[in-house]
Amino acid sequence: MKARSLLVLAVLLVTALAFSLNIIYLVGDGMSFNQLLLASILEGRVLTTMTLPYTGITTTYSADSWVTDSAPAGSALFGGYKTLNRAIGVLPNGTPMPSMFEIAKRAGYNIGLAVTCRVTHATPAAMYGHVPSRDDEVTLAKQLADSGVVDVIFGGGWDMFVPTAQGGRRTDGLSLIEQMRKNGYEYITTIEQLKAVQSSKVVGLFAKGHLDPVSNRPAAQPTLDVMTQKALEILSKEGKPFMLMVEGSQIDWEAHANDFYGVWKETVEFDNAVRVALEFAAKDGNTLVVVLGDHETGGLSLSKGGYTINVELARKAKGTTAMFLAQYSISDKAKFIAGLREWYGISITDAEYEMMTKIPSNNLRRELARFVSEKVGFGWTTFDHTAAPVPVYAFGPGAHLFTGLMDNTDVPKILLRLTGLSTITFPVAAVSRN
């Protein structure tokens, strides 16, 4: 009788898991409405992201500022609570809190991440990490290796996992790659290995640091849609429910640089990953896709006045200003001016050139990017984040719940409720915003 009861319980557990909702959670770092619309305008088409049937708006403030950074934004999106700028996976008082991915892992889910930054960077780290400062990536790497929360790990940043003697950043002598291998992970570093890998636990680190920007990424590094496709293949093959987090990490960095071309191309790469997710979800029928930004970066405006944007000129741009400055020196006036005309179709006056020569070299890229943007009609208010709300789009079972105005902390609460995993009381942090 006891054996029969145990068998019934096992069957019920397997059945419950088989019908549990899969979640594909795609985060465009620094992406709000205008970043999406800029890419849509320059592509001359409606982006896949913009076709999802349900749309909402989320606020993004942190516990100590109206303007969040990615660490508390990730903690809010994955944990359902507010925390301090720069903090990951902890309350303002330092108390660690579980993310929805940690909760799901304990319930039997497979978990994956695919990003174009280091896998220990703020957003992916909020899936598994608990530190008062996002800068402590060496600790975050150890937390990722020790926890076993994430089964499929695709991105960059192998330097955080190996000791300095092997070219890494670890001063404790640990080789976390070897530790993860012993714990059953397959370690891969090339796109050929990515295409071939079949292991259910895999860590793929395709660069020492972040992956290169998509505008000039070498063929040896995968694009986000390729990593997303492989992650879905691996996570779904056993028939267990899964959660996958995909981040368009570098939309944010190009917006920090006020580079319209970079934002365009990074947003399109992210949108390609959304397309892969939607195709999977449409075929599967039991997968919810949620797409959103974690905050807005740059204060992007889609005109500098005059009721116009020079779209055709913008479309002819040949690359980011980082790529431009790798080929043209500000010290060679004639070639610099000719280069601007060739790459962006814009002219520069003697006075504007002289102003450029006085800019410190570490700020030249972003100041040039803002200058180029304004010439074609795009404006920026800051090189930092803003408090602007961001969109949330949804497709699949429960997608209708992601409409109207909500806070970023509401998103994981809805997801946990839909998956039946909501067994915790969400903390309400004391908020003191500047």
Side-chain angles (χ1 to χ4, degrees):
M1 185 68 180
K2 184 177 180 181
R4 184 178 179 182
S5 297
L6 289 173
L7 177 61
V8 170
L9 284 173
V11 170
L12 288 173
L13 177 60
V14 170
T15 302
L17 283 174
F19 288 97
S20 295
L21 187 65
N22 303 316
I23 304 294
I24 309 176
Y25 203 162
L26 298 107
V27 181
D29 200 316
M31 183 191 78
S32 190
F33 299 95
N34 282 2
Q35 282 77 9
L36 283 163
L37 190 53
L38 179 149
S40 178
I41 290 169
L42 296 183
E43 286 291 294
R45 62 181 175 86
V46 176
L47 299 185
T48 300
T49 300
M50 301 162 76
T51 68
L52 273 68
Y54 294 94
T55 306
I57 302 171
T58 68
T59 51
T60 65
Y61 60 89
S62 68
D64 58 342
S65 177
W66 284 107
V67 183
T68 190
D69 81 61
S70 292
S75 301
L77 289 172
F78 304 157
Y81 58 90
K82 298 291 186 183
T83 192
L84 305 175
N85 275 0
R86 310 201 66 77
I88 292 176
V90 295
L91 295 177
N93 65 7
T95 303
M97 290 296 297
S99 73
M100 57 179 281
F101 300 99
E102 292 173 298
I103 294 169
K105 182 64 177 178
R106 291 198 293 266
Y109 273 62
N110 288 331
I111 307 295
L113 70 83
V115 298
T116 59
C117 61
R118 291 189 298 267
V119 298
T120 52
H121 213 238
T123 302
M127 297 176 64
Y128 59 82
H130 306 277
V131 292
S133 173
R134 59 180 288 178
D135 295 334
D136 194 1
E137 291 189 55
V138 169
T139 295
L140 287 165
K142 191 168 190 307
Q143 290 179 350
L144 176 58
D146 288 347
S147 68
V149 168
V150 188
D151 302 288
V152 176
I153 303 163
F154 293 150
W158 59 256
D159 59 342
M160 298 295 175
F161 293 82
V162 298
T164 54
Q166 297 176 23
R169 299 200 199 185
R170 304 201 66 84
T171 57
D172 55 12
L174 293 176
S175 175
L176 299 179
I177 298 300
E178 289 306 312
Q179 175 184 322
M180 296 179 83
R181 277 177 167 151
K182 290 177 181 177
N183 290 336
Y185 285 86
E186 182 174 350
Y187 177 53
I188 62 173
T189 59
T190 70
I191 195 166
E192 291 77 20
Q193 290 172 325
L194 175 65
K195 292 175 181 177
V197 69
Q198 295 296 319
S199 301
S200 58
K201 295 177 68 174
V202 56
V203 52
L205 303 177
F206 306 103
K208 181 177 182 178
H210 306 300
L211 300 191
D212 288 0
V214 73
S215 299
N216 59 334
R217 187 173 303 160
Q221 295 179 4
T223 53
L224 190 60
D225 58 322
V226 170
M227 291 189 287
T228 302
Q229 184 75 59
K230 177 56 75 169
L232 287 170
E233 175 190 319
I234 294 171
L235 291 168
S236 64
K237 69 179 180 179
E238 294 178 350
K240 292 170 61 178
F242 69 83
M243 290 187 182
L244 171 65
M245 194 286 293
V246 178
E247 186 194 29
S249 315
Q250 300 190 36
I251 301 169
D252 176 63
W253 306 343
E254 298 295 349
H256 273 292
N258 287 187
D259 195 309
F260 83 85
Y261 183 93
V263 168
W264 171 18
K265 298 304 180 180
E266 294 294 338
T267 303
V268 169
E269 182 190 31
F270 177 69
D271 192 62
N272 290 339
V274 174
R275 174 182 47 78
V276 169
L278 280 180
E279 289 173 353
F280 177 93
K283 183 178 180 180
D284 177 71
N286 191 46
T287 297
L288 172 63
V289 177
V290 175
V291 186
L292 43 57
D294 62 343
H295 55 75
E296 196 277 340
T297 301
L300 172 62
S301 67
L302 300 182
S303 178
K304 278 294 292 178
Y307 299 93
T308 186
I309 305 169
N310 197 330
V311 175
E312 292 309 315
L313 187 62
R315 285 175 177 163
K316 293 176 182 177
K318 293 188 174 182
T320 65
T321 52
M323 295 165 63
F324 175 85
L325 289 170
Q327 295 190 34
Y328 296 93
S329 171
I330 187 77
S331 63
D332 190 329
K333 181 177 180 180
K335 287 186 177 180
F336 189 84
I337 292 174
L340 287 176
R341 189 175 300 112
E342 179 187 347
W343 274 54
Y344 303 109
I346 63 174
S347 59
I348 182 171
T349 66
D350 286 341
E352 288 170 334
Y353 173 78
E354 289 304 319
M355 179 188 68
M356 287 278 182
T357 63
K358 295 179 172 61
I359 297 171
S361 59
N362 62 320
N363 289 334
L364 181 57
R365 187 265 166 113
R366 71 182 195 180
E367 294 292 350
L368 179 60
R370 179 175 283 194
F371 176 82
V372 171
S373 289
E374 292 179 350
K375 286 285 187 177
V376 299
F378 298 119
W380 303 88
T381 65
T382 180
F383 296 113
D384 296 321
H385 299 177
T386 74
V390 297
V392 53
Y393 303 92
F395 170 88
H400 64 283
L401 297 174
F402 296 92
T403 58
L405 179 65
M406 63 185 73
D407 186 61
N408 56 6
T409 57
D410 294 323
V411 178
K413 295 174 185 177
I414 296 171
L415 292 174
L416 286 173
R417 189 163 71 247
L418 286 170
T419 55
L421 297 173
S422 185
T423 59
I424 63 172
T425 300
F426 293 93
V428 178
V431 175
S432 176
R433 295 184 294 272
N434 296 318

